[in-house]
Amino acid sequence: MIHLFLFDVDGVLVDAQAYLKALQDTVAHFSRRMGVGDHPPTEEEARAFEAHGLTSEWDSGPTCVAALLLERLRRGPSIPLPPHWPDALSILAAHPYPLPRPDYAGLARRVGECLRGRASSAQVARAVLWEEAQVIPGLEPVRSAVAALLDALLGYTRDFFRAPLTRHFQHLVIGSRGVAQTYGVVPDFDSPAYLRRYDRPLLTPATRARLAEAAASKQVRVALYTARPSLPPAE
């Protein structure tokens, strides 16, 4: 008889902290550059995004930053916002306006309510935030710029070369050396690989050796999967 061992990666094989840490540091980096304060999502808020269908940090990160941008426009004094993201960052940094703690869990819920049955969580987040932007006082002079900035943040989240948060996140997760090897570019900054620094194996060396020996002798077969937090099924 051959036994099948099915292992969940996160929490069983690995104490997975790297992606969470990279998400938090990426959002905090851009929130500071925007001059709105240090606003990384908590672990509970990151899990809320996953539970509501934004299962990739490439989507939840820019959703957080885009929401901070709109909140800055809603609460702060008007600024001549350009449509190009690097230029917008410079303008925002020149006009700092600290924001209160954002409700990322509420944001995750609002996006999740519109996500069911639709493929791209980033595009749904963009649509939700654009609709919410319509009630911002004084939006009209910067309407086209805001639309372009939402596109820059959420339009290409799977494209390392076009998505600013994905690019920064990847520098952290796989490290600057990994970025050079994977994407063939000179890294934007030096960083260790968070996957090596923060993730820790949970199986003991003895257990790993026994599993490897059993698999090599075909006594067992091993399969891996990754489960993300989810909401209870709807009635």
Side-chain angles (χ1 to χ4, degrees), residues 36-57:
V36 299
D38 196 356
H39 292 303
T42 65
E43 181 173 357
E44 291 75 17
E45 289 167 334
R47 302 307 175 220
F49 278 109
E50 294 173 356
H52 285 283
L54 285 85
T55 57
S56 172
E57 291 80 3

Side-chain angles (χ1 to χ4, degrees), residues 4-219:
L4 174 65
F5 285 10
L6 180 62
F7 290 101
D8 187 2
V9 176
D10 297 343
V12 176
L13 296 181
V14 177
D15 177 17
Q17 297 296 320
Y19 275 73
L20 172 63
K21 176 68 171 170
L23 170 65
Q24 292 173 324
D25 287 358
T26 297
V27 174
H29 167 80
F30 283 98
S31 70
R32 289 191 298 266
R33 287 193 62 189
M34 292 166 65
V36 299
D38 196 356
H39 292 303
T42 65
E43 181 173 357
E44 291 75 17
E45 289 167 334
R47 302 307 175 220
F49 278 109
E50 294 173 356
H52 285 283
L54 285 85
T55 57
S56 172
E57 291 80 3
W58 291 355
D59 296 336
S60 57
T63 298
C64 291
V65 171
L68 288 172
L69 171 64
L70 297 190
E71 194 64 17
R72 164 63 179 85
L73 296 176
R74 183 179 294 111
R75 290 176 175 266
S78 60
I79 51 176
L81 198 65
H84 188 49
W85 176 243
D87 295 339
L89 276 179
S90 297
I91 292 292
L92 289 164
H95 299 82
Y97 191 87
L99 294 175
R101 174 77 191 164
D103 180 14
Y104 289 133
L107 173 62
R109 183 177 60 256
R110 296 196 303 276
V111 175
E113 288 172 352
C114 298
L115 184 58
R116 296 171 186 174
R118 300 177 65 176
S120 172
S121 56
Q123 289 302 308
V124 172
R126 195 266 184 213
V128 168
L129 290 169
W130 178 243
E131 182 177 351
E132 294 181 356
Q134 304 312 304
V135 298
I136 295 176
L139 174 68
E140 197 56 39
V142 293
R143 174 183 292 273
S144 61
V146 171
L149 293 172
L150 290 179
D151 285 341
L153 291 171
L154 290 161
Y156 315 98
T157 59
R158 298 301 184 272
D159 189 338
F160 172 87
F161 296 97
R162 300 179 72 180
L165 268 82
T166 299
R167 187 180 182 104
H168 190 92
F169 180 85
Q170 290 299 97
H171 275 72
L172 301 183
V173 169
I174 63 176
S176 49
R177 180 177 297 181
V179 163
Q181 294 173 344
T182 302
Y183 298 104
V185 298
V186 176
D188 299 336
F189 57 91
D190 290 332
S191 174
Y194 279 25
L195 286 172
R196 291 187 177 276
R197 172 167 288 189
Y198 294 107
D199 281 4
R200 294 290 181 267
L202 293 177
L203 297 185
T204 65
T207 300
R208 295 200 300 270
R210 289 178 61 190
L211 277 172
E213 181 180 353
S217 63
K218 301 188 184 303
Q219 298 176 47

